[in-house]
Amino acid sequence: MKQFFKFVFASFVGILLFSIITVLFGVITITGMIASSQSTKEPSENSILILDLSGQLSERAEDNIINQIQGTDKGSIGLDNILTAIKNAKENDHVKGIYIEAGAFSADSYASLQAIHNALIDFKKSKKWIIAYGDTYTQGTYYLASAANKVYLNPQGQIDWRGLASQPIYIKDLLAKFGVKMQVVKVGAYKSATEMFTGDKMSEANREQTTAYLNSIWQNITNDVSKSRNIPAGKLNQYADSMMTLAPQEDYLKTKMVDGLLYTDQVKQLIKKELGIENSEDISQVTVADLQDSNEKEGNKDNQIAIYYAYGDIVDGTVEGLFSQNHTIDAQKVCKDLEKLSDDKKIKAVVIRINSGGGSAYASEQIWHQIIELKKQKPVVISMGGMAASGGYYISAPADWIVAEPTTLTGSIGIFGMFPDMSGLFTEKLGIKFDEVRTNKYSSFGTTTRPFSPEEMAFLGQYINRGYKLFRHRVAEGRKMTDVQVERIAQGHVFSGQDAQKIGLVDQLGGLEVAIAKALKLAKISDHSLHIYPEQPSLMDQLLQESKPKNYLSEQLRANLGDYYEPFALLKTLNHQSAIQARIPYFPNIH
């Protein structure tokens, strides 16, 4: 028996030691992966930056070691990383040019594309060159490629050039098949977010505003391409109307949309010629990741400018689940973060980078309050990305200065309440019946088992209207207008950044760099350092974050469902979200 226990004990010790060694080996491996992923490559002499336009463009890159291990982070690239790489390539004497290779590239907005396009134009001021090549160009990738000195296409390739369209999705009839009906109370003729659930086509007001901002975005695109390619904007519209997408490849040459029809080996020879190297020599290449820290100047750490990224739906707490969005503006976390920035004496100004179509009205009010408190301590500048509308504008309004891209979608000053009536599902589809006992007249208010009474809807209308008036007043306070002046441009109306500047909702047009320059001016400092917030989660935080495995499946569903993913994502998380929303039309679906 003694021998038996010795054997068991020895086995236990052996297994324990093996487990410890395995864990240590895993930690060392993971640490090595982190170090490897965070390390950068100093460009060697006569290098080029490879800008691979493929995958999904997001507002900010996130280093997630779990996704790296699982191999699920491929195909995602941050706008911040691209802009930093282009800027550093411009300033690095070893980098002689940029090679753009167009692929299957999906951007979150044309505002993000415009920011990259402008960065490429700025890069050329250094007298360095840009060469673009693609087997096919989507409209977005061609917009970026047009900034190049030379644009080349596969001899059998294609350029998608046809203008912009918006195709909102309507699911009222789908819900009806399940016996569900949405009860909506809204304020604002243009507040069309709820139409997806209550209608089967665009209202005239929504059609009017959508036409206006689509034309504004398209005008910016055609004007930018016109300047870069030296093609009149009128001609570009003619090409779009003539089904240029399906034109013979020779027509792309005749119309000056491209400079040549070449194969990849021929493009490689052209690049070698630009670099002045022999065909037998290799091209020295650096990637976007390699140029993240290159040429960065630390600056004065006692004079810091904080850049705080806030993007995604505005929520009262993290919405979990299979269809939850990857990024949210969680009011609970954002308010704590902004309070810390307010208390940090080394931070002299804060630039808040917003890319959001809004969300919870309650959460928006919480963040609004925290920005007011932050503003008492230091200047606050808003940099608008693809969208800063409805709740996104609510939290922008109190800032000292607002900067937007011309193609940003903003405004949408209005709120709505949306409550599902599931009585049809329960009684007609499932055969479930309910009875009721109440102590007071409105004891059962809010139940989903019956529709609201006219009296209850009237109370809701009053409540929503008070919320709208508060939103309108918050904007009036922040923009130094009267409530009457705001009302003329409110009503849920969505504007492009370019049009929003004309009516006083935006102070200046430009990207993040413009916002940073304004923050420096307001803080009255020159020697400074930049610090990015929120900070990336630690390795331990990532390892303990249990929801990460669900994101991979969600991403696969997003890829398979395409434009239909967002409506189903909303339906799935509806019970987790506030019923009172300050939100842009849910999914403008611009393509």
Side-chain angles (χ1 to χ4, degrees), residues 171-172 174-175 178-184 193-198 313-325 328 358-362 416-422 425 446 448 452 565-584 586-587:
I171 61 173
K172 181 186 76 170
L174 171 65
L175 294 177
F178 295 94
V180 178
K181 181 181 178 181
M182 286 296 179
Q183 303 170 99
V184 171
T194 59
E195 289 179 6
M196 183 175 88
F197 303 96
T198 60
D313 286 349
I314 300 175
V315 297
D316 303 285
T318 303
V319 178
E320 296 291 351
L322 177 63
F323 280 92
S324 62
Q325 305 301 301
T328 59
S360 166
Y362 305 127
F416 63 86
M418 189 165 62
F419 311 86
D421 168 19
M422 304 180 73
L425 170 63
T448 61
F452 288 136
Y565 173 84
E566 299 290 356
F568 285 104
L570 175 69
L571 286 173
K572 181 67 177 178
T573 59
L574 196 60
N575 62 320
H576 296 288
Q577 300 195 36
S578 167
I580 312 300
Q581 296 275 309
R583 186 187 288 269
I584 196 175
Y586 277 104
F587 315 108

Side-chain angles (χ1 to χ4, degrees), residues 117-284:
H117 181 276
N118 291 341
L120 292 169
I121 295 296
D122 181 65
F123 174 84
K124 291 200 297 185
K125 292 178 182 178
S126 64
K127 305 303 179 184
K128 299 178 181 183
W129 48 265
I130 302 175
I131 291 176
Y133 180 78
D135 290 325
T136 62
Y137 289 97
T138 65
Q139 199 157 246
T141 55
Y142 183 77
Y143 175 45
L144 297 183
S146 69
N149 300 83
K150 297 291 182 181
V151 180
Y152 297 106
L153 177 70
N154 181 314
Q156 298 301 316
Q158 181 187 61
I159 299 176
D160 188 17
W161 187 258
R162 52 186 162 69
L164 297 180
S166 175
Q167 293 182 316
I169 298 170
Y170 298 91
I171 61 173
K172 181 186 76 170
D173 292 343
L174 171 65
L175 294 177
K177 291 182 186 297
F178 295 94
V180 178
K181 181 181 178 181
M182 286 296 179
Q183 303 170 99
V184 171
V185 181
K186 67 170 186 172
V187 181
Y190 295 91
K191 200 66 184 172
S192 53
T194 59
E195 289 179 6
M196 183 175 88
F197 303 96
T198 60
D200 52 20
K201 64 179 182 178
M202 300 174 78
S203 65
E204 287 305 312
N206 191 25
R207 187 174 297 278
E208 174 196 328
Q209 70 178 351
T210 304
T211 300
Y213 67 65
L214 275 185
N215 284 330
S216 179
I217 294 171
W218 180 243
Q219 182 184 31
N220 273 275
I221 294 168
T222 52
N223 286 344
D224 287 345
V225 174
S226 175
K227 291 175 186 175
S228 300
R229 297 296 302 167
N230 196 25
I231 303 172
K235 285 286 186 184
L236 289 169
N237 276 301
Q238 288 180 24
Y239 300 158
D241 291 335
S242 65
M243 194 56 82
M244 173 65 77
T245 302
L246 302 179
Q249 287 74 24
E250 292 75 16
D251 285 3
Y252 299 137
L253 273 173
K254 293 175 185 176
T255 56
K256 299 181 181 178
M257 295 287 280
V258 300
D259 297 291
L261 301 174
L262 303 175
Y263 293 101
T264 52
D265 61 322
Q266 295 170 320
V267 175
K268 190 181 293 185
Q269 290 172 11
L270 282 174
I271 293 174
K272 288 182 177 182
K273 186 176 180 181
E274 288 285 349
L275 292 172
I277 62 177
E278 299 294 329
N279 280 337
S280 58
E281 295 182 66
D282 292 330
I283 298 172
S284 179

Side-chain angles (χ1 to χ4, degrees), residues 534-554:
E535 295 178 349
Q536 297 283 12
S538 67
L539 171 60
M540 186 57 66
D541 289 338
Q542 292 182 38
L543 290 174
L544 294 176
Q545 196 171 1
E546 295 180 354
S547 63
K548 285 303 173 188
K550 292 180 284 188
N551 287 342
Y552 177 65
L553 181 55
S554 180

Side-chain angles (χ1 to χ4, degrees), residues 364-388:
S364 299
E365 173 72 7
Q366 291 285 3
I367 298 172
W368 171 88
H369 169 75
Q370 204 60 55
I371 291 176
I372 287 289
E373 294 301 306
L374 175 63
K375 187 178 163 185
K376 291 176 183 177
Q377 302 299 322
K378 55 203 65 174
V380 179
V381 176
I382 298 295
S383 171
M384 293 181 171
M387 285 195 290

